[in-house]
Amino acid sequence: ARALLKSQFSRYHRFNENQFEVALNRARAINVNLFGEVVRSGGISLPATNTTVNALASAGGLTSIGSVRNITLVRNGRKTPVDLYRFLSDPATNSDVYLEHNDLIQVPVAGKVVRIQGAVNRPMRYELVEGEGLLKLIAYAGGLRENAITQTLQIERFENDRRTMLDVPLGALKSKGGDFALRHGDQVTIYSIRTDAEEYVYVRGAVRVEAS
């Protein structure tokens, strides 16, 4: 818009590059429709400078079962995926799309949701998409704490009408560049080191400070 206006004005006026500026004082209002797992579904009116994330916030956010990875923006029959994890990890990406009049935002039920607890920095539930496994889950959780047991972790899984416990050699996976596939409903536990200090010495006698 700036280039177009500058071209038109330059036909009738002479000015230097730093003497021409364009500013938007007021944005037009657009109508956006939200469906699926949002708190307040239906149509909302927003200024045209808003994005998909702004629209979701204006609708009260997602429900407790709403997907944050597989949101779809529909515009004139064309579908654009929106991944909020990608946007939060790097807001500079184009994963947050500016809206246009009569856009439709569809929020489905979350797909593969896995819980991680224990010695990680952000223990909570995370939604994973195709191709993401155990190592990506740990990365989303902010990594391991300094007192985490890194050799083996445990996964609680429900399959064949039974509850099973799986021991996963995390240290071996990392050393070999491998990963471990997770399923919906898995619960990952990272245990922490709780033993007393080992291999320490006592200092007693003719020293300034006796210690161990």
Side-chain angles (χ1 to χ4, degrees), residues 123-134:
M124 64 177 70
R125 296 166 65 244
Y126 293 92
E127 183 181 1
L128 303 180
V129 295
E130 186 69 27
E132 295 181 343
L134 176 62

Side-chain angles (χ1 to χ4, degrees), residues 83-140:
D83 187 340
L84 294 186
Y85 278 14
R86 184 181 176 189
F87 170 72
L88 293 174
S89 61
D90 185 8
T93 63
N94 58 356
S95 55
D96 189 19
V97 183
Y98 280 97
L99 298 173
E100 294 184 6
H101 187 59
N102 287 333
D103 277 353
L104 188 149
I105 300 174
Q106 174 69 32
V107 181
V109 174
K112 182 167 62 176
V113 179
V114 179
R115 179 182 296 276
I116 184 169
Q117 63 183 9
V120 290
N121 290 306
R122 289 193 300 269
M124 64 177 70
R125 296 166 65 244
Y126 293 92
E127 183 181 1
L128 303 180
V129 295
E130 186 69 27
E132 295 181 343
L134 176 62
L135 298 184
K136 196 66 176 179
L137 174 66
I138 294 175
Y140 286 142

Side-chain angles (χ1 to χ4, degrees), residues 2 6 15-21:
R2 183 182 187 279
K6 179 182 176 182
F15 48 82
N16 296 325
E17 178 67 26
N18 60 354
Q19 292 178 315
F20 185 84
E21 187 59 56

